[in-house]
Amino acid sequence: MRGGERVLEHICDMFPEADIFTHVVDPAKLSDKLRARRIETTFIARLPGARTHYQKYLPLMPRALEALDLTDYDLVISSEAGPAKGVITRPDATHVTYCHSPMRYIWDQYHQYRSTGGLGARISMPLFAPALRTWDIASAARSDLIMANSAYIRARIGKFWGRDARVVHPPVDTALFTPCDSHDEEFLWVGQLVSYKRPDLAVDAFSASGRKLHVVGDGPMFEELRARAAPNVRFTRRLDFTALRTAYARARALVFTGEEDFGMIPVEVMASGRPVIAYGRGGALETVVEGETGLFFRENSAPALNAALARFESWEADFVPEAAVRQARRFSPEVFRTRFLETVERAQTLVHRPHPAVPQALST
């Protein structure tokens, strides 16, 4: 249950009778809302170790998607962060794609995933990636309309797929977060401890400066980061939602080091009345207002982050929590629902638009 699944929950609210198709599902890890749905899986789910190692079956996923029989459905919504849009629908059905990101591991982050994925990835990725890129471009034509979760992703869709997209920012339940009257001296970093989110950048910067940092998250980098961190950096693997809300509201500021497609955490922190210090790339440029709800650092390095922290300490007194809360409300579920349904209705109009009459004879 991460960002994509939370978006799926809101889509399910809009379409209460919809069925869900996916490659692999572990019901124990789903929310009650998703578990209550009829869920069908592809043949990937029947392969050995699919629940824990489904990523290894990526080369088979296009075939698995195309094997799904969707002829009973007149509206198909694909939630795309991997190969989901490649399903085959009826000619008169409407197919709308909500794109969290084109597949990073075959496009712009291909070399990063290959170099950090171990020997198997270094050997196999050059073998299957070219064919998967070709299929990815071709399958983009199967969607009648595409929504992107940010302008950043819209640009990548244009670059990799040659398609335009409408920006519909994902929903953030901003009403669940509330400011408090006081805050701690600690800065906060929250997320999965994986390389592309750059938690190492925050740990190194704070270890060098002596400022206090609370890192909340788990992942393959946890032990490595804890071993190299100075005593002023503390780690918590997990917080329940109540504790996380408190951590947001009491943080001096959120430090957001990754180049994210959108990034819900900065919006949640702003809804809690706290500022954000973010790397100035990706979706953060669409959520954080520089000099009003936070600050950016433009170079992804520890010295650049520490320079931004020094600027923050000079600016901190000018921060107005109410401005951050107002900005966060721009990404509420109500706004998402309105724009999403408008896009679906537009796609249905395009699909069912009458075709011009075909002449019975031509003369020259």
Side-chain angles (χ1 to χ4, degrees):
M1 291 300 302
R2 290 160 61 182
E5 288 71 32
R6 288 157 66 184
V7 172
L8 179 60
E9 286 186 310
H10 286 279
I11 296 175
C12 286
D13 288 339
M14 288 183 270
F15 301 93
E17 297 180 1
D19 300 323
I20 297 175
F21 291 78
T22 187
H23 289 299
V24 180
V25 63
D26 184 351
K29 295 183 178 179
L30 293 184
S31 66
D32 292 340
K33 184 178 293 187
L34 295 184
R35 195 183 299 114
R37 291 301 176 106
R38 174 175 171 257
I39 302 177
E40 291 195 19
T41 57
T42 70
F43 68 74
I44 300 291
R46 299 188 292 276
L47 298 177
R51 279 196 181 182
T52 52
H53 300 290
Y54 58 89
Q55 299 97 328
K56 291 180 170 47
Y57 293 115
L58 175 65
L60 299 178
M61 288 182 183
R63 181 175 297 180
L65 288 166
E66 292 175 351
L68 291 173
D69 183 0
L70 302 181
T71 53
D72 289 339
Y73 300 91
D74 56 13
L75 173 62
V76 174
I77 298 168
S78 52
S79 180
E80 171 86 2
K85 67 188 182 307
V87 293
I88 297 174
T89 63
R90 295 195 323 247
D92 63 332
T94 302
H95 179 186
V96 178
T97 293
Y98 187 82
C99 183
H100 303 275
S101 173
M103 289 183 279
R104 306 177 191 92
Y105 31 85
I106 63 169
W107 292 112
D108 53 312
Q109 295 184 19
Y110 168 77
H111 295 289
Q112 180 179 343
Y113 273 89
R114 187 187 174 205
S115 64
T116 61
L119 180 61
R122 289 196 295 273
I123 294 173
S124 63
M125 288 183 70
L127 299 177
F128 71 76
L132 191 54
R133 290 188 194 104
T134 301
W135 179 88
D136 195 41
I137 295 169
S139 63
R142 300 177 188 177
S143 297
D144 297 300
L145 277 180
I146 298 174
M147 287 177 265
N149 72 352
S150 64
Y152 174 65
I153 293 303
R154 180 188 181 190
R156 293 175 66 209
I157 289 170
K159 177 76 171 179
F160 301 137
W161 297 348
R163 292 287 307 267
D164 194 12
R166 186 185 191 200
V167 175
V168 179
H169 292 120
V172 181
D173 288 322
T174 54
L176 298 177
F177 303 93
T178 53
C180 68
D181 295 332
S182 60
H183 62 79
D184 300 326
E185 289 302 307
E186 280 186 322
F187 292 85
L188 181 68
W189 190 99
V190 178
Q192 190 179 15
L193 298 179
V194 293
S195 58
Y196 83 90
K197 291 182 180 289
R198 297 305 310 271
D200 57 307
L201 193 68
V203 170
D204 291 346
F206 279 82
S207 294
S209 72
R211 297 179 177 94
K212 292 182 179 180
L213 176 67
H214 184 192
V215 176
V216 177
D218 201 359
M221 298 179 70
F222 184 89
E223 294 299 340
E224 170 200 343
L225 292 172
R226 189 166 64 171
R228 72 200 254 183
N232 55 295
V233 179
R234 68 183 180 103
F235 292 80
T236 302
R237 287 187 186 271
R238 293 178 184 85
L239 292 176
D240 63 30
F241 183 65
T242 300
L244 184 63
R245 288 176 59 203
T246 300
Y248 283 166
R250 294 193 61 83
R252 189 172 178 184
L254 175 75
V255 177
F256 193 68
T257 49
E259 183 178 339
E260 294 280 5
D261 306 325
F262 174 73
M264 291 184 173
I265 292 173
V267 179
E268 293 173 346
V269 169
M270 289 188 295
S272 306
R274 301 310 303 150
V276 179
I277 302 167
Y279 179 45
R281 295 281 300 272
L285 292 173
E286 300 169 53
T287 57
V288 179
V289 181
E290 187 160 32
E292 183 176 324
T293 70
L295 298 174
F296 293 118
F297 58 100
R298 306 289 176 174
E299 178 186 311
N300 214 345
S301 68
L305 174 53
N306 273 329
L309 290 166
R311 284 191 289 116
F312 171 80
E313 289 166 344
S314 299
W315 169 79
E316 187 175 11
D318 296 328
F319 171 70
V320 179
E322 291 77 13
V325 173
R326 284 195 303 271
Q327 173 67 5
R329 287 175 182 159
R330 295 182 56 238
F331 306 97
S332 69
E334 294 75 21
V335 175
F336 172 77
R337 178 186 179 92
T338 298
R339 291 183 61 80
F340 193 98
L341 290 175
E342 286 174 353
T343 306
V344 171
E345 290 171 4
R346 182 182 175 194
Q348 290 172 321
T349 300
L350 290 173
V351 170
H352 299 292
R353 178 182 294 168
H355 294 284
V358 178
Q360 298 300 309
L362 294 174
S363 61
T364 59

